Amino acid sequence: KQEVTQIPAALSVPEGENLVLNCSFTDSAIYNLQWFRQDPGKGLTSLLLIQSSQREQTSGRLNASLDKSSGRSTLYIAASQPGDSATYLCAVRPEGGSEKLVFGKGTKLTVNP
Amino acid sequence: DGGITQSPKYLFRKEGQNVTLSCEQNLNHDAMYWYRQDPGQGLRLIYYSQIVNDFQKGDIAEGYSVSREKKESFPLTVTSAQKNPTAFYLCASSIVQSAEQYFGPGTRLTVT
């Protein structure tokens, strides 16, 4: 059974710092991996989608990498801002045309001014 | 503006009552999903639909029902059989089943 873990559960950094959020999954047979952002009481906003054949994806100050063989993904946030404060979730889609995403519990990020 | 709408944002019901949560999308997506989010837990899949008039159970379908009569709409009914219905409910859609999922703003259901 696929399990997704995000460590740490919470992270607090000063504004301007570069930071890395971690996501690990137990079964390397994945179709893709998606990173989301969730603000309190809100829905999820898709940040980046990495297909299993890709190593990384970039969007603005965000860079997500994928090492499928080791079951790891990282989300790198450059020059963090207070507006980046949110919970970041990663989710994997297992191979085989699976219908569902398997989610981690998220990392709550606080960027202090 | 394309997107997913969920209504209402907050919903309060008495125990024993059925309640229906609305989800509409104008993204022309074929696949739609319902998730439940509880504090300290990851999102869990309730039901999903790949095409109109077809849907499948997810991991926690007991006590829930859905319909997919139109491509744009995927309402979720929380029945009185659901033991612990108080939660944050999220609807999502994707072009096809394996593609990137987009989420609505969610409905917070409180049952007392």
Side-chain angles (χ1 to χ4, degrees):
Chain A
K1 178 187 172 187
Q2 177 73 269
E3 292 183 359
V4 178
T5 303
Q6 293 184 249
I7 295 173
L11 180 64
S12 182
V13 301
E15 183 176 2
E17 189 164 299
N18 301 328
L19 61 100
V20 173
L21 304 180
N22 296 297
C23 172
S24 61
F25 44 96
T26 55
D27 188 343
S28 62
I30 65 168
Y31 188 81
N32 58 37
L33 182 146
Q34 198 167 352
W35 280 95
F36 296 90
R37 169 188 172 134
Q38 186 175 31
D39 292 290
K42 306 289 186 183
L44 276 64
T45 299
S46 179
L47 298 174
L48 290 163
L49 173 74
I50 311 178
Q51 301 294 347
S52 61
S53 59
Q54 296 175 318
R55 297 285 292 183
E56 64 180 302
Q57 283 282 359
T58 298
S59 176
R61 293 183 295 110
L62 304 180
N63 176 277
S65 69
L66 174 63
D67 185 341
K68 197 174 126 173
S69 60
S70 68
R72 295 186 181 187
S73 176
T74 61
L75 180 66
Y76 174 83
I77 303 177
S80 59
Q81 303 169 359
D84 294 329
S85 298
T87 296
Y88 291 81
L89 298 161
C90 78
V92 300
R93 182 184 297 283
E95 277 184 357
S98 172
E99 70 290 350
K100 81 175 183 183
L101 293 177
V102 180
F103 282 85
K105 295 181 181 179
T107 294
K108 184 176 181 180
L109 173 65
T110 302
V111 181
N112 300 301
Chain B
D1 255 347
I4 303 173
T5 57
Q6 292 186 244
S7 61
K9 186 173 182 179
Y10 299 99
L11 192 52
F12 298 89
R13 279 294 183 271
K14 296 286 190 185
E15 198 172 310
Q17 293 179 334
N18 292 353
V19 60
T20 297
L21 283 59
S22 168
C23 177
E24 304 276 334
Q25 54 97 1
N26 61 2
L27 300 168
N28 200 31
H29 286 175
D30 284 314
M32 296 187 74
Y33 314 81
W34 274 106
Y35 293 89
R36 169 181 174 141
Q37 187 175 36
D38 295 282
Q41 295 196 41
L43 274 71
R44 293 180 290 169
L45 182 66
I46 305 172
Y47 268 98
Y48 68 100
S49 168
Q50 299 178 57
I51 197 168
V52 173
N53 292 324
D54 186 53
F55 47 83
Q56 286 79 41
K57 295 181 180 180
D59 295 326
I60 55 166
E62 185 175 349
Y64 299 98
S65 65
V66 293
S67 62
R68 186 86 187 275
E69 297 177 2
K70 299 187 298 181
K71 187 175 184 177
E72 302 80 19
S73 179
F74 191 40
L76 174 74
T77 297
V78 184
T79 75
S80 57
Q82 168 51 231
K83 300 296 182 200
N84 186 19
T86 295
F88 190 49
Y89 290 87
L90 289 158
C91 178
S93 70
S94 60
I95 294 176
V96 293
Q97 184 177 293
S98 57
E100 187 172 6
Q101 288 191 15
Y102 295 89
F103 281 75
T107 292
R108 185 165 299 280
L109 173 65
T110 302
V111 177
T112 57

